[in-house]
Amino acid sequence: MLMEPIIVKVIICVAVFLLELGTFRLITKINLFVISFQPLFLILAIKFIFEKIENGKGKPMNFGSVWNSFCVLLSNNWYIALLYFSIMPIIVFILVCVSTKKHKPLRVKKYEKLGENLVSYVMTYIVPLTTLSVGSKFSDFLGNVILFLIIMILYIRLDLAYLNPVLILFGYNIFKLHLMKINGEEYKDDVVDYIITKKSEVKFDNFLKSNNSVVRVNTLGNDLVLEDET
């Protein structure tokens, strides 16, 4: 009987993973936004474990106490959701990148580097949310969930979901590309794509200059591409 709830939770996590994997290209900005908050989720997941140990009167701090506290927290559905979103979104992103085969060339008119507001992003949004504790009331969790959703809507509407500290930590850079037609003609309106690349700004600039401003990419979403380095 004890195994039944665990099996149900595993099935739900697998189902969410497959849903996230299958819809990544349809809701790219939402997925990138969730990835950008993974450090927060991981910090909270670890913080809750040690708070559980500290709440245990006289419990020594060792591997056993950490593991026991972790196992106790796994009975909490909120904690399982927190643990899932602290680990899996970046794995989904990697799998999507590996499986994407939609090669196409883009001609770049100009580009902009993103990331100048990264510090203010971290200080303004991630740090205040870390005030949650394992003993927080439901109203505290609800308030933070509402705050998180408001931030998500704002960042998606303002195209700030591409300001992604996790991808930067993984060695990627994100540039905003203003495009022209592949034959060199101007579009009637400004056409923009965001490119994820391993190249630094200097290397990316030199690459464009040496390749007549053309870069080959794989499509990850409506306006998100990954540089094709094959």
Side-chain angles (χ1 to χ4, degrees), residues 42-92:
L42 186 59
I43 289 169
L44 288 176
I46 295 172
K47 179 183 176 184
F48 288 177
I49 291 174
F50 286 96
E51 284 184 353
K52 198 72 177 176
I53 296 173
E54 291 170 358
N55 290 337
K57 299 176 181 178
K59 187 180 291 185
M61 183 77 71
N62 52 43
F63 176 79
S65 61
V66 171
W67 177 252
N68 289 335
S69 297
F70 175 71
C71 291
V72 170
L73 286 169
L74 285 180
S75 64
N76 187 303
N77 293 332
W78 284 99
Y79 187 78
I80 290 178
L82 180 66
L83 196 63
Y84 175 90
F85 286 109
S86 69
I87 299 171
M88 300 311 296
I90 191 64
I91 295 177
V92 170

Side-chain angles (χ1 to χ4, degrees), residues 16-17 20-21 24 28 30-39 41-42 82-99 164-172 174 196 198 220 224 226:
V16 172
F17 174 80
E20 193 178 358
L21 188 63
F24 186 92
T28 311
I30 293 177
N31 283 304
L32 284 180
F33 178 80
V34 173
I35 289 172
S36 72
F37 267 74
Q38 278 191 251
F41 301 143
L42 186 59
L82 180 66
L83 196 63
Y84 175 90
F85 286 109
S86 69
I87 299 171
M88 300 311 296
I90 191 64
I91 295 177
V92 170
F93 170 79
I94 292 170
L95 290 176
V96 169
C97 289
V98 170
S99 63
N164 200 299
V166 173
L167 294 185
I168 293 173
L169 287 173
F170 272 78
Y172 291 100
I174 304 176
I196 299 174
K198 285 280 190 177
L220 297 181
L224 179 68
L226 175 73

Side-chain angles (χ1 to χ4, degrees), residues 31-229:
N31 283 304
L32 284 180
F33 178 80
V34 173
I35 289 172
S36 72
F37 267 74
Q38 278 191 251
L40 167 67
F41 301 143
L42 186 59
I43 289 169
L44 288 176
I46 295 172
K47 179 183 176 184
F48 288 177
I49 291 174
F50 286 96
E51 284 184 353
K52 198 72 177 176
I53 296 173
E54 291 170 358
N55 290 337
K57 299 176 181 178
K59 187 180 291 185
M61 183 77 71
N62 52 43
F63 176 79
S65 61
V66 171
W67 177 252
N68 289 335
S69 297
F70 175 71
C71 291
V72 170
L73 286 169
L74 285 180
S75 64
N76 187 303
N77 293 332
W78 284 99
Y79 187 78
I80 290 178
L82 180 66
L83 196 63
Y84 175 90
F85 286 109
S86 69
I87 299 171
M88 300 311 296
I90 191 64
I91 295 177
V92 170
F93 170 79
I94 292 170
L95 290 176
V96 169
C97 289
V98 170
S99 63
T100 297
K101 302 298 180 184
K102 298 181 179 180
H103 308 291
K104 68 175 182 179
L106 295 179
R107 187 177 294 276
V108 181
K109 180 168 60 176
K110 64 177 181 178
Y111 71 91
E112 304 169 30
K113 184 178 181 181
L114 304 181
E116 288 80 3
N117 299 318
L118 185 61
V119 174
S120 62
Y121 168 88
V122 172
M123 296 302 294
T124 304
Y125 298 121
I126 292 185
V127 173
L129 290 172
T130 59
T131 57
L132 279 174
S133 68
V134 71
S136 295
K137 298 178 181 178
F138 175 76
S139 59
D140 295 327
F141 281 100
L142 181 61
N144 277 278
V145 168
I146 293 172
L147 173 61
F148 182 81
L149 292 175
I150 291 172
I151 295 170
M152 182 179 71
I153 293 169
L154 289 173
Y155 266 68
I156 289 173
R157 290 288 301 274
L158 297 173
D159 277 342
L160 295 176
Y162 299 115
L163 185 63
N164 200 299
V166 173
L167 294 185
I168 293 173
L169 287 173
F170 272 78
Y172 291 100
N173 285 300
I174 304 176
F175 299 108
K176 182 179 181 179
L177 306 179
H178 298 265
L179 304 174
M180 61 177 68
K181 295 180 181 179
I182 197 66
N183 62 6
E185 295 180 7
E186 296 278 345
Y187 285 106
K188 183 178 179 181
D189 299 311
D190 190 24
V191 177
V192 171
D193 269 352
Y194 293 85
I195 185 170
I196 299 174
T197 175
K198 285 280 190 177
K199 290 184 174 68
S200 65
E201 184 175 7
V202 173
K203 289 183 178 179
F204 188 68
D205 187 66
N206 291 335
F207 176 83
L208 290 178
K209 289 177 180 177
S210 62
N211 286 273
N212 200 24
S213 297
V214 175
V215 57
R216 290 190 60 82
V217 299
N218 296 319
T219 303
L220 297 181
N222 291 332
D223 57 359
L224 179 68
V225 297
L226 175 73
E227 183 183 6
D228 180 10
E229 299 182 359

